């Protein structure tokens, strides 16, 4: 017995000794100690994986005589299956979940705990022994990897944007402000989004976030939307540009009082330029 494996004599060829490396002892336990599995004199099954006549070397594997638990998992719980598991391990960015009595620890990244942008905070709510329902996201039997997600078992709040289009006006509630912009939540949606400071207004003097106290509802436009990538960009500036363009088209023919009641400081000048043309 050695720290890196065990030297075995092939029963069919007495006197021929070969190394059973620790990496070939188990499917799931990396560099398992042979001393914890066997004792000298044990008769075990192995599969020959390599014969090198020039180097006079024979390589063997014990794990290849056992059924791959990852292949068992894949047959029993294919991708998209919903399964119940137990948290058996945890680190600073993920959970490891055991399903039934299979000797496998499925990987659950903190970003797959919640649809919101606080995966690391959500991770603190879980501890070893917790029972959770997860969805199988990926199985790589050869690479001995299983990835699962918790948020995928729940309704996706991003579905609120189904049917929405670029330039569409939506109403949002201001959650908070900082020197980079606004944190807003669309009315009826549970997700928060960031409106950059540069997208708060057309005029640079109006982009200051101190104009808002938080809690008020305002309108903005959808500047970008990609449902597949779960990406949405919101802009108050875009809405102003859209409304400004509509006002120019509607009142730009010399109508009396054009632009006096519209919230754009530059609109009157634009109307005058258009009338001159």
């Amino acid at each position: 017995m050695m720290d890196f494996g065990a030297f075995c004599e092939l029963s069919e060829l007495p006197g021929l000794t070969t190394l059973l490396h620790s990496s070939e002892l188990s499917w799931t336990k990396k560099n398992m100690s042979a001393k914890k599995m066997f004792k000298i004199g044990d008769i075990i099954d192995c599969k020959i994986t390599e014969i090198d006549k020039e180097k006079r070397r024979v390589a063997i594997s014990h794990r290849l005589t056992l059924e791959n638990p990852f292949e068992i998992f894949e047959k029993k719980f294919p991708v998209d299956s919903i399964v119940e598991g137990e948290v058996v391990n945890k680190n600073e960015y993920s959970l490891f979940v055991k399903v039934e009595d299979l000797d496998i620890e499925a990987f659950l990244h903190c970003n797959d705990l919640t649809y919101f942008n606080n995966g690391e905070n959500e991770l603190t709510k879980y501890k070893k022994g917790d029972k959770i329902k997860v969805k199988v996201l990926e199985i790589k039997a050869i690479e001995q990897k299983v990835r699962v997600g918790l948020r995928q078992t729940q309704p996706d709040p991003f579905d609120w944007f189904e049917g929405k289009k670029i330039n569409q006006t939506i109403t949002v509630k201001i959650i908070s402000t900082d020197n980079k912009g606004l944190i807003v939540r669309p009315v009826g949606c549970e997700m928060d989004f960031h409106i950059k400071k540069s997208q708060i207004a057309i005029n640079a003097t109006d982009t200051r976030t101190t104009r808002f106290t938080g809690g008020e509802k305002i309108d903005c436009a959808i500047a970008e939307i990609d449902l597949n990538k779960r990406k949405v960009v919101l802009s108050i500036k875009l809405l102003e540009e859209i409304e400004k363009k509509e006002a120019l088209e509607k009142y730009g023919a010399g109508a009396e009082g054009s632009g006096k009641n519209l919230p754009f400081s530059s609109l009157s000048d634009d109307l005058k330029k258009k009338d001159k043309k």
Side-chain angles (χ1 to χ4, degrees):
M1 295 289 188
M2 307 294 290
D3 292 336
F4 50 84
F7 285 99
C8 303
E9 182 182 62
L10 301 188
S11 57
E12 290 83 355
L13 296 169
L16 179 58
T17 303
T18 184
L19 172 66
L20 172 59
H21 193 270
S22 57
S23 62
E24 293 298 326
L25 293 174
S26 169
W27 282 105
T28 57
K29 295 179 174 60
K30 304 297 182 183
N31 296 318
M32 178 71 177
S33 172
K35 296 177 183 179
K36 293 183 178 180
M37 293 182 64
F38 313 118
K39 62 181 184 296
I40 293 176
D42 281 351
I43 304 297
I44 63 173
D45 288 331
C46 289
K47 178 177 282 191
I48 295 175
T49 59
E50 182 186 4
I51 299 176
D52 191 324
K53 294 182 179 179
E54 292 184 0
K55 295 182 179 180
R56 301 175 59 81
R57 185 177 67 190
V58 175
I60 60 175
S61 171
H62 173 66
R63 69 171 182 164
L64 291 179
T65 66
L66 309 172
E67 192 169 7
N68 185 343
F70 291 90
E71 292 179 350
I72 298 174
F73 187 100
E74 188 170 22
K75 292 176 184 177
K76 198 169 184 179
F77 308 111
V79 171
D80 292 334
S81 298
I82 304 295
V83 298
E84 184 173 62
E86 178 183 347
V87 177
V88 293
N89 213 338
K90 178 180 179 180
N91 60 28
E92 67 274 12
Y93 61 89
S94 62
L95 298 176
F96 294 89
V97 181
K98 185 175 182 180
V99 177
E100 293 190 350
D101 59 349
L102 294 175
D103 190 19
I104 289 176
E105 293 184 5
F107 176 76
L108 199 170
H109 193 274
C110 62
N111 289 342
D112 285 316
L113 283 173
T114 175
Y115 283 111
F116 307 109
N117 298 324
N118 60 342
E120 292 183 6
N121 292 336
E122 191 73 10
L123 186 64
T124 62
K125 300 179 182 179
Y126 297 90
K127 62 183 184 302
K128 289 183 181 180
D130 285 350
K131 304 286 186 179
I132 58 176
K133 281 190 176 181
V134 295
K135 185 174 184 177
V136 180
L137 304 179
E138 184 180 36
I139 302 173
K140 294 183 177 179
I142 296 178
E143 297 179 25
Q144 303 173 47
K145 293 180 181 179
V146 173
R147 186 169 65 89
V148 297
L150 179 70
R151 70 174 186 173
Q152 289 81 0
T153 65
Q154 304 164 350
D156 186 352
F158 200 84
D159 290 345
W160 186 87
F161 285 97
E162 285 283 352
K164 302 289 192 299
K165 299 179 180 179
I166 289 177
N167 292 344
Q168 183 172 339
T169 300
I170 63 172
T171 301
V172 299
K173 181 179 180 180
I174 298 177
I175 303 301
S176 63
T177 66
D178 57 32
N179 58 0
K180 295 182 179 179
L182 309 174
I183 302 298
V184 301
R185 181 177 301 171
V187 175
C189 180
E190 298 179 4
M191 298 186 74
D192 294 341
F193 296 86
H194 183 251
I195 297 180
K196 295 181 180 179
K197 186 177 180 181
S198 61
Q199 295 301 312
I200 291 179
I202 293 176
N203 295 318
T205 55
D206 294 329
T207 60
R208 61 190 187 283
T209 58
T210 52
R211 292 169 51 203
F212 307 95
T213 58
E216 63 261 52
K217 294 180 180 179
I218 59 173
D219 287 342
C220 63
I222 298 175
E224 293 181 38
I225 184 167
D226 189 325
L227 297 178
N228 293 326
K229 294 181 179 180
R230 304 182 77 256
K231 178 183 178 182
V232 167
V233 176
L234 303 178
S235 171
I236 306 170
K237 176 182 177 181
L238 175 60
L239 179 59
E240 288 188 353
E241 290 172 343
I242 293 171
E243 292 182 342
K244 184 173 181 179
K245 181 180 179 182
E246 291 174 352
L248 283 168
E249 293 174 352
K250 184 175 182 180
Y251 299 106
E256 185 178 351
S258 297
K260 287 185 177 179
N261 296 319
L262 294 170
F264 315 115
S265 58
S266 61
L267 181 56
S268 295
D269 293 338
D270 289 340
L271 287 171
K272 290 177 183 178
K273 292 178 182 178
K274 183 171 182 180
D275 288 341
K276 288 180 180 179
K277 291 181 180 180

